[in-house]
Amino acid sequence: MACVPGEQHSLALEALHAGLVELGLPTRMFGAAVPTEALTAAVRRLGPKAVLLWAQTRSTADLPLARHVADTRWGVKGARGHPAVLLGGPGWAGRPVRGMLRPPGLRDALGTLSALYDRPVPVIRG
C-alpha cells in the first residue's frame, strides 16, 4: 500500500493496514508521497499479490503509474506473476480503469484483499 507521489494523506492507509494485520494478511505499507521509482522497485522486488494506490485528490491520482504497476511482472519465464491493482481514495472517483479494482471503502478493500488470499471475507459492523 502506498500513496501516489505528491499525496500526503495516509490516514486511510493506516486504517487499512491495521485491518489487514488483524486479519493476518501479509502487508507492507509505504505511506505518504512514495516516489515512483521506489514504488516500482518494491513491486518488482516483493512480488505482491496486490498493490493499493491511494489518491486523496484528482490532482494526485496518477493513472500512468497505476498502469505501470499493473503491468509489472516478476518470476521465472512461463510462471510470471503480476499484482492486482486497487485504486483507493476519492482522487480516483469517476475514473473507471479496466483491469483495476476500485473498492469504495474500507470494508470493501478488506473483503477484496481477503479474497485474493482465499481467506474468508471479514464481517465488519458499523
Side-chain angles (χ1 to χ4, degrees):
M1 298 180 297
C3 291
V4 294
E7 181 58 65
Q8 298 296 325
H9 298 88
S10 63
L11 185 58
L13 287 184
E14 296 285 351
L16 180 57
H17 182 258
L20 294 171
V21 168
E22 188 168 314
L23 293 171
L25 294 174
T27 181
R28 300 263 174 134
M29 191 179 102
F30 292 95
V34 178
T36 299
E37 299 79 19
L39 177 63
T40 56
V43 170
R44 279 192 311 275
R45 187 174 57 254
L46 297 171
K49 279 192 182 255
V51 175
L52 185 133
L53 300 173
W54 180 266
Q56 183 71 24
T57 63
R58 288 185 67 86
S59 64
T60 60
D62 188 341
L63 194 51
L65 172 61
R67 286 188 178 125
H68 180 72
V69 170
D71 290 339
T72 302
R73 301 208 180 276
W74 58 83
V76 296
K77 191 173 183 178
R80 294 188 190 269
H82 63 89
V85 174
L86 287 77
L87 305 175
W92 300 103
R95 294 180 176 202
V97 181
R98 188 179 327 176
M100 294 183 211
L101 304 169
R102 174 92 173 78
L106 177 62
R107 183 180 317 195
D108 297 295
L110 286 169
T112 298
L113 291 165
S114 293
L116 289 173
Y117 284 93
D118 296 323
R119 301 275 180 92
V121 178
V123 176
I124 301 172
R125 301 187 198 302

